[in-house]
Amino acid sequence: MVYSSYENDYVNADDQKKGNAAMVSMKNIADRCHVSVATVSKALNNHSDVGEETRLRIKQIADEMGYHPNAAARALKTHRSYNIGILLRDDAHSGLTHEYFSEVLDGLKVEAEQKGYDITFINSHNNKMTYYEHCKYRNLDGAVIACAEFEDPEVIELVNRSLPTVTIDYIFNSCTSVSSDNVKGMRELVLYILNKGHKKIAFIHGESKSEVTKERLASFHRTLAEFNVEVPDEYVRASEYLNATKAEKLTKELMELKEPPTCIIYPDDLSYSGGINAVRNMGMLVPQDVSMAGYDGIKLSQIFNPKLTTVKQNSKEIGKLAAQQLISAIESPKTTFVQRIMVEGELLPGETIRDLN
Amino acid sequence: MVYSSYENDYVNADDQKKGNAAMVSMKNIADRCHVSVATVSKALNNHSDVGEETRLRIKQIADEMGYHPNAAARALKTHRSYNIGILLRDDAHSGLTHEYFSEVLDGLKVEAEQKGYDITFINSHNNKMTYYEHCKYRNLDGAVIACAEFEDPEVIELVNRSLPTVTIDYIFNSCTSVSSDNVKGMRELVLYILNKGHKKIAFIHGESKSEVTKERLASFHRTLAEFNVEVPDEYVRASEYLNATKAEKLTKELMELKEPPTCIIYPDDLSYSGGINAVRNMGMLVPQDVSMAGYDGIKLSQIFNPKLTTVKQNSKEIGKLAAQQLISAIESPKTTFVQRIMVEGELLPGETIRDLN
DNA sequence: AAAATATACGAAAACGTTTACGTAAAAACG
DNA sequence: CGTTTTTACGTAAACGTTTTCGTATATTTT
């Protein structure tokens, strides 16, 4: 069969571009089956009080007629929408356009759809509603807070209300969280670098207020302290996530120190790209003159030349687990409890760390 | 005021984590205002047959009580959901995890939200519904088809039904499209390369069946023909979008030809990264030994060293226009017609094209 | 002042479901 | 065979809106 968009031969005549496609309702099925709508409803929802043969007949006719329930009517009656919200605020440098969150969203989407849920973006509707009000307005069954200002009163309201919520990379006491294990990730990275003989390790990190940054910073310091490696204050610099320009500038500063580091860790792979530009512009090479490591494990990191040493975050898994947790909380609230889920990343050893041994 | 997630002091006592948050309805407002729900509805929707002072009173009380309409109830009655669907199939290598589509989605989201619409992902619900049925099921007001198999019968059904739709980077005769101007983009790129004195220009392109590929290929050939530049068959190679490995392999093949090209154009910036690896592994440099150009203008392309010559697609604008067109089609169907909208990209001259003059 | 019109509101049906409850007929029981 | 229980279905209310139509009061017109 050939489908031609010009002849419209795929679409049957009674539902052309103009005609209002009236969806088939339970009433229609009821009429054709000579039963009441109640029976149709119960048959389709597999209630016990409907005869076996009628149930089958109704289901078959419903199939034949191409019946699908009306989500609005169902939601109105049951207060369940099979729709979950995702909060992904995309000002500044993060959110949708960040490969990490894109993949989290993708993992979330796949898992949710597989379980029969749809995904709708949450926003504040031009500040006419809070996030929570928006969820109620849309009858959302739950919400995933993927990327947001977690100190925002609106966000705090959202997690504290009765709506099931799951946060990503941030912990509230009242709701389940799924986080990338930044402590372990950073520790493994530092161990790897130490193992290569480095003692002068700098860390250009992301926004200080971010929970992710705090974890990585703490893990960085703790791991180095464990091995009695000193880290001068000037080796730790605050930058911003995904700000290559700032990373470049800070890298230059680091390399101009009297005692420059032998290795620099970046907040993310994109910042690393700014960093390597800085040293190249100074006539130096990575890893010959200075070693470098990224974080995230974006696709390009493994195509870079030299191949980047980085920690790949398991972002799709994070999204998937968030969906599972949320749906579990929605469907069996009594047996689902607040959890702290950590998803380990994977150290990808590349060619940007020189072996000093 | 300090918000503490531990003390829950932001949430008032009658709506703690356990309590079912009963939203305030028109009935509640009606009671408090001593009017009927009909009057409340009409007041809030600015109908003419309600007194000025009562309208004001009702609106104020509604505000005080924190009223927001129930989207499901409204959709059920009006068949309008103020919700639009986006089809973004993410198998293989495209969709959400592609920076281009992420940005299109972001542009779409911002514009739609600003006009009071929400965005929900469309899928086929485990193949239990077609895309169109899914839209009806959710009472979506319209749909944007951003990334999909456009030959898929389900997609064809979707655009041919009565639901307003807008496609991105693909043209159906029955619905408005917003496309990146690949013809012009490729032409400008080729002109730039020609201007630098190149005569032996190769093109590693994306999936042949893709409309985007066809346009770029046609523009590539036409522009070169216009300047009487021959292009041997072996200079045009089919790869896949975002497949760096394949691009790397094809680049190696090109450079091993008896008469290798002096410039290679890639399907996207990521493929370029594979390409530059190939020539570096062969001991050659870009642009000294061979010139290269990408397509897309991802963030990293401007951080690459050497800076990549590429065509930046105006992806956010594409998303924004798609939203505008769709909403216009939804809100004033009589005065909105099928359009072909082209969004121009921008040539970003980098350092990867050697000047042969 | 009577009649016509305008204004402001309410009653009730409708949208498509779900579900509590009622009730026949059939089955099981004594 | 009468009584209870089970089975299979229907009735009707409800979810929260919107909208048509009706109507009482106020206003304007003759």
Side-chain angles (χ1 to χ4, degrees):
Chain A
M1 187 166 181
V2 177
Y3 300 104
S4 154
S5 65
Y6 287 86
E7 299 174 19
N8 276 354
D9 57 0
Y10 176 72
V11 180
N12 51 30
D14 62 349
D15 184 47
Q16 294 295 40
K17 204 73 184 173
K18 296 291 166 185
N20 247 346
M23 284 265 102
V24 20
S25 73
M26 287 191 171
K27 181 80 176 57
N28 301 326
I29 302 175
D31 289 349
R32 264 197 53 177
C33 291
H34 306 293
V35 294
S36 71
V37 293
T39 304
V40 174
S41 173
K42 286 186 278 193
L44 295 179
N45 292 319
N46 295 315
H47 285 208
S48 58
D49 62 341
V50 47
E52 203 50 48
E53 76 265 41
T54 37
R55 179 202 315 285
L56 254 32
R57 184 163 50 95
I58 289 173
K59 283 193 171 181
Q60 187 183 336
I61 298 286
D63 252 18
E64 270 179 41
M65 299 178 75
Y67 171 79
H68 291 287
N70 180 314
R74 177 178 291 190
L76 181 59
K77 192 65 182 122
T78 64
H79 299 113
R80 292 268 281 116
S81 62
Y82 288 90
N83 199 352
I84 66 186
I86 176 146
L87 183 52
L88 242 176
R89 268 204 83 142
D90 193 79
D91 28 39
H93 301 291
S94 38
L96 257 183
T97 58
H98 190 331
E99 189 171 318
Y100 174 66
F101 287 110
S102 285
E103 288 191 348
V104 169
L105 175 55
D106 196 47
L108 183 83
K109 180 168 173 274
V110 168
E111 180 68 15
E113 287 173 358
Q114 202 263 321
K115 299 216 157 142
Y117 286 78
D118 284 334
I119 295 192
T120 298
F121 287 105
I122 302 173
N123 58 70
S124 64
H125 261 263
N126 312 324
N127 300 316
K128 283 295 157 212
M129 296 184 209
T130 65
Y131 296 141
Y132 174 73
E133 287 170 340
H134 187 197
C135 291
K136 278 300 175 186
Y137 161 64
R138 286 281 175 209
N139 298 281
L140 301 180
D141 295 334
V144 173
I145 306 175
C147 174
E149 286 285 339
F150 288 98
E151 291 83 17
D152 181 347
E154 280 196 33
V155 174
I156 296 176
E157 177 199 22
L158 183 54
V159 300
N160 285 328
R161 291 283 183 143
S162 61
L163 195 75
T165 45
V166 171
T167 54
I168 288 177
D169 285 340
Y170 192 88
I171 292 180
F172 286 108
N173 69 328
S174 54
C175 92
T176 289
S177 64
V178 179
S179 308
S180 189
D181 194 339
N182 286 291
V183 171
K184 181 157 185 185
M186 179 55 77
R187 179 177 173 80
E188 285 193 12
L189 179 57
V190 171
L191 288 179
Y192 177 82
I193 293 169
L194 285 173
N195 203 39
K196 292 287 185 182
H198 291 266
K199 300 283 177 198
K200 297 189 281 189
I201 307 171
F203 184 17
I204 296 176
H205 59 78
E207 281 87 345
S208 302
K209 67 186 161 90
S210 147
E211 215 54 29
V212 170
T213 305
K214 289 177 191 165
E215 288 173 13
R216 292 185 192 169
L217 254 177
S219 180
F220 173 79
H221 280 119
R222 191 174 323 144
T223 308
L224 288 180
E226 192 180 322
F227 288 86
N228 298 313
V229 175
E230 296 258 336
V231 34
D233 282 353
E234 67 256 34
Y235 275 15
V236 178
R237 302 293 181 108
S239 179
E240 292 161 10
Y241 289 107
L242 304 181
N243 188 331
T245 311
K246 196 155 184 178
E248 181 169 351
K249 178 166 159 288
L250 290 171
T251 301
K252 188 157 180 289
E253 289 179 19
L254 280 175
M255 297 311 293
E256 283 169 346
L257 288 176
K258 266 172 286 183
E259 197 144 356
T262 64
C263 180
I264 305 176
I265 298 173
Y266 289 88
D268 53 77
D269 297 346
L270 204 133
S271 293
Y272 153 80
S273 298
I276 196 173
N277 281 348
V279 304
R280 279 174 174 161
N281 288 337
M282 297 169 80
M284 297 189 288
L285 288 176
V286 173
Q288 290 85 341
D289 299 304
V290 58
S291 296
M292 291 184 167
Y295 214 105
D296 275 358
I298 63 173
K299 281 183 230 137
L300 264 165
S301 70
Q302 300 309 294
I303 305 174
F304 283 155
N305 188 323
K307 188 156 76 173
L308 179 58
T309 298
T310 185
V311 178
K312 179 167 170 48
Q313 307 201 75
N314 201 344
S315 43
K316 293 217 179 183
E317 181 71 10
I318 291 174
K320 180 180 173 178
L321 286 171
Q324 284 175 353
Q325 285 297 314
L326 185 63
I327 292 172
S328 164
I330 292 168
E331 298 188 343
S332 33
K334 299 111 180 53
T335 62
T336 306
F337 303 101
V338 169
Q339 289 189 51
R340 303 278 95 92
I341 295 181
M342 282 290 179
V343 179
E344 292 187 11
E346 182 190 1
L347 177 69
L348 298 181
E351 308 157 345
T352 51
I353 308 286
R354 184 177 165 200
D355 193 339
L356 298 182
N357 300 314
Chain B
M1 184 166 184
V2 176
Y3 299 104
S4 152
S5 63
Y6 287 89
E7 299 172 19
N8 277 351
D9 60 358
Y10 176 72
V11 180
N12 50 29
D14 62 350
D15 185 48
Q16 292 295 40
K17 202 73 185 174
K18 297 289 164 186
N20 248 345
M23 283 265 101
V24 20
S25 73
M26 285 190 172
K27 180 78 177 58
N28 301 326
I29 301 175
D31 289 350
R32 265 197 53 178
C33 291
H34 306 292
V35 293
S36 70
V37 292
T39 304
V40 174
S41 173
K42 286 184 279 194
L44 296 179
N45 292 318
N46 294 314
H47 285 209
S48 58
D49 60 341
V50 47
E52 204 50 46
E53 77 266 40
T54 36
R55 178 201 316 284
L56 254 31
R57 184 163 47 96
I58 289 174
K59 282 193 171 182
Q60 188 183 334
I61 298 285
D63 253 17
E64 271 179 42
M65 300 179 75
Y67 171 80
H68 291 287
N70 180 313
R74 177 177 289 190
L76 182 59
K77 193 66 181 121
T78 63
H79 301 112
R80 290 269 282 116
S81 62
Y82 288 90
N83 198 353
I84 65 185
I86 176 144
L87 183 51
L88 243 176
R89 269 202 80 141
D90 192 76
D91 28 38
H93 302 289
S94 36
L96 258 182
T97 58
H98 190 332
E99 188 171 319
Y100 174 66
F101 287 109
S102 285
E103 289 191 347
V104 168
L105 176 54
D106 196 46
L108 183 82
K109 180 168 173 273
V110 169
E111 179 69 15
E113 286 172 0
Q114 202 264 322
K115 299 217 158 142
Y117 286 78
D118 284 335
I119 295 192
T120 299
F121 287 106
I122 302 173
N123 58 69
S124 64
H125 260 263
N126 311 325
N127 299 316
K128 282 295 156 213
M129 295 184 210
T130 65
Y131 297 140
Y132 174 73
E133 286 170 340
H134 187 198
C135 291
K136 278 300 176 185
Y137 160 64
R138 285 280 175 210
N139 297 283
L140 301 180
D141 294 335
V144 173
I145 305 174
C147 174
E149 286 285 339
F150 287 99
E151 292 83 15
D152 182 347
E154 278 195 35
V155 174
I156 297 177
E157 177 199 21
L158 184 54
V159 300
N160 283 327
R161 291 282 184 143
S162 60
L163 196 75
T165 45
V166 171
T167 54
I168 288 177
D169 286 341
Y170 192 88
I171 293 180
F172 286 107
N173 68 328
S174 54
C175 93
T176 289
S177 64
V178 180
S179 309
S180 189
D181 195 339
N182 286 290
V183 170
K184 182 157 184 184
M186 178 56 76
R187 179 178 172 81
E188 284 194 10
L189 179 58
V190 170
L191 288 178
Y192 177 82
I193 293 169
L194 284 173
N195 203 40
K196 293 287 186 181
H198 292 266
K199 300 285 179 195
K200 295 188 283 188
I201 307 171
F203 184 17
I204 295 177
H205 58 79
E207 281 87 345
S208 302
K209 65 188 163 88
S210 147
E211 215 56 29
V212 171
T213 305
K214 289 178 191 165
E215 288 172 14
R216 292 187 192 169
L217 254 177
S219 181
F220 173 79
H221 279 119
R222 191 174 322 143
T223 308
L224 288 180
E226 194 181 318
F227 289 85
N228 298 313
V229 175
E230 298 256 335
V231 34
D233 283 352
E234 67 257 32
Y235 275 15
V236 179
R237 301 294 181 105
S239 178
E240 293 162 9
Y241 289 107
L242 305 180
N243 188 331
T245 311
K246 196 156 185 176
E248 181 169 351
K249 178 167 159 287
L250 289 171
T251 302
K252 188 155 181 291
E253 288 178 20
L254 281 175
M255 296 312 292
E256 283 169 344
L257 288 175
K258 264 171 289 183
E259 197 143 358
T262 64
C263 179
I264 306 177
I265 298 173
Y266 290 88
D268 52 77
D269 296 348
L270 203 133
S271 294
Y272 153 80
S273 298
I276 196 172
N277 280 350
V279 304
R280 279 176 173 160
N281 288 338
M282 297 170 79
M284 299 190 287
L285 289 175
V286 173
Q288 291 84 342
D289 299 303
V290 58
S291 296
M292 291 183 167
Y295 213 103
D296 275 358
I298 64 174
K299 282 183 227 134
L300 264 165
S301 70
Q302 300 309 294
I303 305 173
F304 283 154
N305 187 327
K307 188 156 77 173
L308 179 57
T309 298
T310 185
V311 178
K312 179 165 170 49
Q313 306 199 79
N314 201 343
S315 43
K316 294 218 180 183
E317 179 72 10
I318 290 173
K320 179 179 175 181
L321 286 171
Q324 285 176 351
Q325 285 297 313
L326 185 63
I327 292 171
S328 165
I330 292 168
E331 299 188 343
S332 33
K334 299 112 178 53
T335 62
T336 306
F337 303 100
V338 170
Q339 288 190 52
R340 305 278 93 94
I341 296 182
M342 282 291 180
V343 179
E344 291 186 11
E346 182 190 1
L347 177 69
L348 299 181
E351 308 157 345
T352 50
I353 307 286
R354 184 175 166 205
D355 193 339
L356 299 182
N357 300 313

